[in-house]
Amino acid sequence: MCLATGLALGVLLVAGAGCGDTTGASPAAADTRPDAKPIFDVRSVTLDARTRPDSSLLVRLRDLGVTHLTLVAFGWQKAPDSPTVRADTGDGWYSESHRGIRTLARQADALGMGVILKPHLWVGGYDETQDRSTIGFESDARWREWEANYRRFLLLYARLAAEVDADALVLGTELTRAATERPHFWRGLADSVRAVYDGKLTYAANWHEAYERIQFWDALDYVGVQAYFPLTEAEDPSLAALQEGWRPHRAALAKIHERTGRPILLTEIGYRSAVGAAAAPWEWPERDDEAVPDSALQARCYRAFLSTVGRAPWLAGGVIWKWHPPGEVEGPTAFTPQAKPAEDVLRRWFTGATADSGRTASPAGGSPGTAQ
């Protein structure tokens, strides 16, 4: 399955209008239900599985309208100023292991779905003091040592991507300093990867200014953006307020597309089902002991995204963060939309189904959600 660019998708916001991005359209005029067809072509979820999931999970995702599984694999770095990158090829966390990636890719292919492989670096401990975006060095020699180690790490996954016939490979994720200060390295890395892997390439740049500063988009197939854009500070915002919050981000993404000539792939987009999700979508709920569940807000945030950006002609697709096997679903304020009202929102827009076409069956024992 090859990734389409999405350049022939329908007009943003106003169904049936002429070609182009209607960036200036009023959010109040945005679609409140999808057309009778799916939105952008690459409709992916990040699958996070500690253990091997039952095959019914992938069937459920296919029926949701998902076209691709995004699988994250990790390299390990002790600190932002340590040049050593260690790859983990063991059988630990299932969806991150080589064995799990191979099996999931085969299962996805049997269901007509593709795979996006997205290596990350895990820096230091499980806290915010060790940030992959700050990886960097004060001497060229140390930079070159890290780059040689990172190249070996990434080429390991480029070969795995070729083996499983992945549709796309992400060259790096949120490595802001390295990506903005060392563009020649990334151009050379793209060349090296293309020698062993013939699929699409992107880099996952952070939403916070970083994606606008990348200088090597022309060496890749997609502009990749980790799309945790803040929408509004309101605690209980309306759909119209959330749509209005998307206006400047939509305009900035359209501008990057125009400048680079590359379609946009939102390499992550997600919202917690918690109060405050629209103000700071990037915050992890497990780091907020006082988070208050709000699944209705999560569903509205997805509706706002899909109705304002979903049919932009420059949008190739989006990767929802994230999905789990039923027995591993996290708490009620977590990012996953599964077994929540947001799952029905995704189904409607991912499949083009009508609002009353079905309800979400809860795999985790919770109440079924209703589309909003």
Side-chain angles (χ1 to χ4, degrees):
M1 179 186 298
C2 59
L3 291 172
T5 64
L7 296 179
L9 295 177
V11 177
L12 177 65
L13 299 180
V14 184
C19 296
D21 178 12
T22 57
T23 300
S26 168
D31 292 340
T32 56
R33 63 172 301 278
D35 294 337
K37 61 180 181 179
I39 49 163
F40 41 75
D41 289 338
V42 183
R43 304 183 296 278
S44 184
V45 300
T46 299
L47 179 60
D48 186 2
R50 296 182 183 93
T51 58
R52 180 171 181 166
D54 186 272
S55 59
S56 63
L57 178 67
L58 270 63
V59 174
R60 180 182 180 85
L61 289 171
R62 180 202 61 188
D63 293 346
L64 187 69
V66 168
T67 62
H68 293 78
L69 298 182
T70 294
L71 302 175
V72 174
F74 280 97
W76 306 90
Q77 187 166 329
K78 184 176 181 180
D81 60 354
S82 171
T84 300
V85 177
R86 178 173 62 86
D88 184 359
T89 60
D91 288 337
W93 204 283
Y94 186 78
S95 60
E96 299 171 5
S97 71
H98 285 215
R99 180 172 64 94
I101 289 169
R102 291 185 180 102
T103 302
L104 289 167
R106 288 195 299 269
Q107 292 175 340
D109 182 66
L111 293 170
M113 294 189 291
V115 164
I116 299 171
L117 195 54
K118 188 169 183 270
H120 281 228
L121 285 185
W122 190 280
V123 180
Y126 192 70
D127 55 54
E128 293 180 334
T129 62
Q130 302 287 349
D131 187 351
R132 69 176 67 92
S133 70
T134 65
I135 290 172
F137 306 92
E138 302 311 315
S139 72
D140 188 62
R142 295 281 279 182
W143 269 116
R144 290 182 181 278
E145 184 179 357
W146 178 83
E147 289 169 350
N149 289 328
Y150 188 83
R151 185 189 302 273
R152 280 193 290 271
F153 162 71
L154 204 285
L155 283 172
L156 177 70
Y157 285 98
R159 296 185 183 96
L160 181 60
E163 178 187 336
V164 302
D165 196 23
D167 289 327
L169 175 67
V170 181
L171 293 187
T173 300
E174 297 176 351
L175 303 173
T176 302
R177 183 178 174 189
T180 55
E181 292 187 14
R182 308 286 288 190
H184 294 300
F185 165 71
W186 295 94
R187 289 182 178 279
L189 180 62
D191 288 342
S192 297
V193 168
R194 291 193 191 279
V196 299
Y197 167 70
D198 62 2
K200 302 291 188 181
L201 299 182
T202 189
Y203 166 81
N206 211 338
W207 65 270
H208 184 59
E209 298 181 353
Y211 75 93
E212 298 177 290
R213 297 163 52 202
I214 299 298
Q215 301 175 45
F216 53 88
W217 290 129
D218 60 302
L220 308 179
D221 299 290
Y222 300 102
V223 171
V225 181
Q226 304 280 89
Y228 296 104
F229 298 106
L231 301 179
T232 174
E233 293 289 335
E235 187 171 287
D236 188 26
S238 66
L239 176 62
L242 294 168
Q243 290 169 331
E244 181 65 30
W246 261 105
R247 181 189 291 270
H249 309 309
R250 184 182 63 203
L253 290 169
K255 186 176 180 180
I256 288 293
H257 163 67
E258 293 170 2
R259 176 166 66 82
T260 64
R262 297 293 187 269
I264 309 295
L265 179 65
L266 302 183
T267 46
E268 281 182 27
I269 183 165
Y271 301 96
R272 296 169 296 148
S273 52
V275 172
W282 59 89
E283 289 186 348
W284 291 16
E286 56 266 42
R287 293 176 178 162
D288 183 2
D289 294 335
E290 300 179 357
V292 177
D294 191 343
S295 60
L297 174 59
Q298 181 191 45
R300 285 200 303 277
C301 286
Y302 275 113
R303 278 187 66 192
F305 157 60
L306 294 163
S307 62
T308 57
V309 183
R311 294 198 185 282
W314 38 260
L315 186 62
V319 179
I320 303 300
W321 184 269
K322 56 187 177 174
W323 211 271
H324 307 269
E328 299 176 17
V329 175
E330 297 168 339
T333 63
F335 277 95
T336 182
Q338 66 199 101
K340 301 173 185 176
E343 182 176 348
D344 270 331
V345 173
L346 292 175
R347 176 178 291 102
R348 291 181 58 209
W349 288 86
F350 278 16
T351 65
T354 58
D356 59 357
S357 63
R359 292 169 62 85
T360 301
S362 171
S367 299
T370 56
Q372 298 201 12

